């Protein structure tokens, strides 16, 4: 009986050590950067982050993020993203982001010989809700062609059937835009 109690105590201590180590890893900025880098690699892209802080538990900030992929390049300058409990993502497959703020977003599309193919699906493995999106400036570039937007204020929701975007304000070279869009996640969109 004593031997069983010792084994049981050892198993409990090992479980507590593993849980504590996992909790500690979730609070580390390095863990978040590593996971995001692995996700980019899995998607066929390369991710580089400078000046990162934060954790998986509550959000992340970065001075600069660069994502290079076969279709082009995305550069994010001064990002702050806060999210609610990661437990919701793990248990309910739902991520709630109260705030996503970006000072500058630059999207470079590689020049192609013909029109690009639309993906078969835009589904995410979870639902996502972003309550506040604020982007100071967005620049789109393909070859020598370059255009931009300023002062984007928006909200977004993605679930198993649709992507919804509410643009509360956005400045273009010809005026202001307020819009709402809803598209399905399966082709044809």
């Amino acid at each position: 009986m004593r031997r069983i109690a010792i084994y049981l105590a050892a198993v409990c201590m090992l479980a507590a050590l593993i849980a504590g180590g996992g909790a500690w890893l979730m609070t580390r900025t390095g863990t978040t950067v590593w996971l995001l880098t692995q996700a980019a690699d899995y998607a066929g892209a390369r991710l580089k982050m400078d000046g990162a802080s934060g954790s998986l538990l509550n959000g992340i900030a970065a001075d600069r993020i660069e994502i290079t992929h076969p279709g082009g390049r995305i550069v994010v300058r001064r990002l702050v993203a806060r999210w609610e409990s990661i437990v919701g993502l793990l248990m309910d497959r739902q991520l709630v982001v109260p705030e996503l703020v970006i000072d500058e977003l630059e999207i470079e599309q590689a020049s192609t010989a013909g029109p690009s193919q639309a993906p078969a699906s835009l589904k995410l493995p979870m639902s996502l809700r972003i309550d506040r999106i604020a982007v100071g400036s967005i620049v789109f570039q393909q070859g020598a062609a370059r255009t931009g937007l300023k002062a984007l204020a928006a909200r977004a929701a993605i679930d198993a059937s649709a992507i919804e975007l509410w643009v509360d304000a956005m400045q273009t070279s010809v005026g202001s835009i307020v819009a709402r869009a809803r598209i399905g996640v399966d082709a044809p969109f």
Side-chain angles (χ1 to χ4, degrees):
M1 191 68 160
R2 185 168 189 241
R3 190 175 281 169
I4 292 173
I6 291 172
Y7 288 136
L8 188 57
V11 167
C12 288
M13 287 176 58
L14 182 60
L17 182 63
I18 291 170
W24 177 78
L25 282 173
M26 289 180 72
T27 65
R28 312 299 299 164
T29 300
T31 304
T32 305
V33 172
W34 181 82
L35 282 173
L36 291 172
T37 302
Q38 296 307 306
D41 287 346
Y42 181 77
R46 187 173 51 91
L47 175 98
K48 182 180 177 199
M49 290 181 80
D50 297 323
S53 62
S55 72
L56 286 173
L57 293 179
N58 57 5
I60 192 162
D63 293 335
R64 186 174 188 279
I65 300 171
E66 182 175 343
I67 303 167
T68 307
H69 56 90
R73 182 175 80 113
I74 300 169
V75 177
V76 176
R77 290 182 187 84
R78 291 170 297 285
L79 165 113
V80 175
R82 289 185 312 106
W83 47 78
E84 291 182 2
S85 172
I86 198 77
V87 175
L89 176 60
L90 298 174
M91 301 296 283
D92 302 328
R93 294 178 54 170
Q94 178 179 1
L95 182 61
V96 177
V97 179
E99 180 177 55
L100 174 63
V101 179
I102 298 171
D103 281 358
E104 299 173 36
L105 175 62
E106 184 179 318
I107 302 169
E108 255 181 61
Q109 186 175 356
S111 296
T112 59
S116 358
Q117 285 291 93
S121 175
L122 300 173
K123 280 186 184 175
L124 293 178
M126 63 187 171
S127 62
L128 172 66
R129 188 182 86 216
I130 307 173
D131 295 333
R132 178 178 174 257
I133 302 169
V135 183
S137 68
I138 304 172
V139 174
F140 300 97
Q141 183 169 347
Q142 183 174 19
R146 188 175 172 98
T147 190
L149 305 168
K150 292 188 181 283
L152 171 67
R155 298 169 280 135
I158 303 171
D159 62 25
S161 63
I163 298 171
E164 289 189 86
L165 178 66
W166 296 267
V167 177
D168 300 320
M170 181 170 53
Q171 295 295 316
T172 71
S173 59
V174 294
S176 300
I177 294 176
V178 173
R180 178 173 183 239
R182 179 181 169 90
I183 61 170
V185 293
D186 293 317
F189 307 109

